[in-house]
Amino acid sequence: MYFDSIFVELTSVCDMSCEFCPNSTMSRPKKHIDFDLFLNIIDQIVANHLTKHIKLAALGESLLYPKLLEAIKYCTEKNLVTSMFTNSLLLTTDLYQKLVDSGLKGIQISLQDLTEDSFVYRHAKRKISYSSFYQNVIKLIDYHVNHNIPIPMVICIMFSKPQWISSELWDLPAIKESTKYVTVLSQMFVDEMNKIAYKNNVKCYLNKRSFGFSLRALNVFKSRDIKIMDNVFLHMTPLNPELFNTRKKLDGVLGNKIKLVKRTKGSCPSLAEPMILSNGSFIPCCIDCLGESAMGKVTTENSLISIINSEKYQNLIKGFKNHNVINPVCQECKGKLVYKNPFSRLVYLITSFNIYTLIAISIRKWHSLWKLLKK
């Protein structure tokens, strides 16, 4: 069996308690992965040719892992392509260079917020202002461009819209307000990116118009990626349970109008990216960070390949291949949020889609058709 990539959670400990992340409410213990177990997992991945791509991410902050540099170096020595996700609170330019020198091949930075008001939802565990946090991210981007670092740096920003369905994790008023005024709020970020490009004599593809269009085109079904400069990208994530089903009680303005219908039919592209948690649990997809669908636990006695070959996991895979969702956790994750009143559903669809969304969808459809014709 071969996977597109495998997520490995170096730690479930985090130095933020973001309200849109289940880390602060999860029941499993917060711990670092045992380094010998990590080495064992990597050895098994290589020996069984399971993937070439390792992503160091899940519900913890990888920079808190004491042997992060050693972990990346080991993956590099095994010819694995390693990337990581970070909130960047502890990331300095010196540490970033050390990560790159260790063999890191990609990094995603969770900027997420464009305002001080929305930053409060992240509850950083050490005193830091939004301005300091934001300027550190800008400094890292500048360093990345100035030193011509040849790996992709992705800056992640999240958005929500007032008309979108909300759940207890996604109903964050300040974020919805910042989305409405994104043209103004984004100007500072766009200006910073253009200053960096000008200073380093490179082309910047991001401007106020393209940023505004991409945000207005953002819909509940798909995130968007924008190229800022060579090897620097912006990832725009819509906060909506129709895209990320939180399996939590629905609330907010629309919560009492909606119900979750379990789905027993369908497929799941996330199965191409399983996850191994810091406690050794093997999770069939990277979405279930809580570990509710664990197929088994990797230990010195229980190998990774034995879990993958187990009847439990193989039945789940076969079920999805036949469009049969047999796992109860998967049934809810793939469940559909529906309005109790059909008319409300129609109103929601009308308000969720706008001319920008339709144009963006049309462009994607024509682009896909053009690539197909080229073949």
Side-chain angles (χ1 to χ4, degrees), residues 161-165 216-221 242 254 339 341-358 361:
K161 293 187 179 182
Q163 69 269 30
W164 286 356
I165 298 171
R216 289 190 291 271
L218 196 67
N219 65 70
V220 298
F221 306 109
E242 285 207 355
L254 301 174
Y339 275 83
N341 182 339
F343 177 72
S344 298
R345 175 69 178 173
L346 178 61
V347 172
Y348 171 69
L349 287 173
I350 292 172
T351 55
S352 291
F353 283 90
N354 53 40
I355 186 63
Y356 300 100
T357 303
L358 295 175
I361 291 175

Side-chain angles (χ1 to χ4, degrees), residues 133-183:
F133 169 72
Y134 174 81
Q135 287 303 322
N136 186 53
V137 174
I138 299 301
K139 184 178 179 181
L140 289 165
I141 298 172
D142 184 31
Y143 183 88
H144 181 88
V145 176
N146 182 259
H147 288 74
N148 199 26
I149 295 178
I151 70 172
M153 173 182 278
V154 180
I155 309 300
C156 301
I157 299 181
M158 61 186 182
F159 295 103
S160 182
K161 293 187 179 182
Q163 69 269 30
W164 286 356
I165 298 171
S166 56
S167 77
E168 62 186 27
L169 282 183
W170 308 113
D171 193 28
L172 306 177
I175 295 173
K176 292 185 177 185
E177 283 299 308
S178 69
T179 303
K180 288 199 295 186
Y181 305 111
V182 70
T183 304

Side-chain angles (χ1 to χ4, degrees), residues 38 73 131 150 173 238 313 336 340 350:
F38 174 80
K73 284 178 183 176
S131 176
Y313 180 65
K336 186 178 182 182
K340 296 171 184 176
I350 292 172

Side-chain angles (χ1 to χ4, degrees), residues 4 46 67 75 104 124 142 158 174 176 190 193 200 241 258 263 267 313 315:
D4 290 348
V46 173
K67 294 192 174 184
C75 291
L104 190 70
D142 184 31
M158 61 186 182
K176 292 185 177 185
V190 173
M193 294 302 100
N200 294 287
I258 302 159
R263 189 175 294 178
S267 58
Y313 180 65
N315 284 342

